[in-house]
Amino acid sequence: QVQLVESGGGLAHPGGSLRLSCATSGFDFSGTAMSWARQAPGKGLEWVSGIYSDGRYTFYADSVKGRFTISRDNEKKTVYLQMNNLKPEDTALYYCGQGGNYAGPDISEYKYWGQGTQVTVSS
């Protein structure tokens, strides 16, 4: 069955960095687009970034563009999110999602999500 397991969250100071990982199994990872989304307390799920199956095309929400970088290792079946210059408003539970051929911002297009990893940005 499809499994998505996020890790790498934690506490960071404003301006700091974290790198999230999402290890996957149970599907053809190298043929599947992947994304990251987040949910802040009291808010809905917000798409953050997506990457096509071959890694050549990446997409970002305006709120993270220039600070976050999505990447993937198809041999390790893992997708990453490097988060730099973190801000308190980045505090959220971060999820990776499997989108088939889709890597865009429509959350309803994603069939599978992991359990999430908490990112807290605070001084």
Side-chain angles (χ1 to χ4, degrees):
Q1 82 253 30
V2 174
Q3 287 195 320
L4 308 171
V5 180
E6 302 92 339
S7 61
L11 175 64
H13 294 301
S17 298
L18 286 172
R19 189 193 195 205
L20 306 184
S21 299
C22 174
T24 75
S25 61
F27 63 100
D28 176 24
F29 181 81
S30 63
T32 302
M34 299 292 296
S35 280
W36 288 93
R38 65 188 181 185
Q39 187 165 23
K43 296 189 177 181
L45 192 61
E46 174 196 18
W47 175 84
V48 171
S49 180
I51 186 168
Y52 277 172
S53 58
D54 60 4
R56 288 197 298 170
Y57 295 98
T58 58
F59 310 92
Y60 298 94
D62 288 344
S63 58
V64 307
K65 201 171 293 182
R67 301 188 297 121
F68 290 10
T69 303
I70 190 171
S71 62
R72 63 190 293 156
D73 184 329
N74 284 351
E75 288 192 5
K76 294 183 178 179
K77 299 183 180 181
T78 300
V79 60
Y80 305 97
L81 187 68
Q82 177 67 43
M83 306 186 297
N84 297 331
N85 191 20
L86 283 162
K87 303 177 181 181
E89 51 264 42
D90 295 319
T91 295
L93 194 58
Y94 282 72
Y95 300 89
C96 69
Q98 189 238 61
N101 293 322
Y102 184 76
D106 187 349
I107 295 296
S108 67
E109 290 288 333
Y110 295 88
K111 188 174 181 180
Y112 298 103
W113 295 99
Q115 84 290 344
T117 185
Q118 178 67 40
V119 171
T120 302
V121 184
S122 175
S123 54

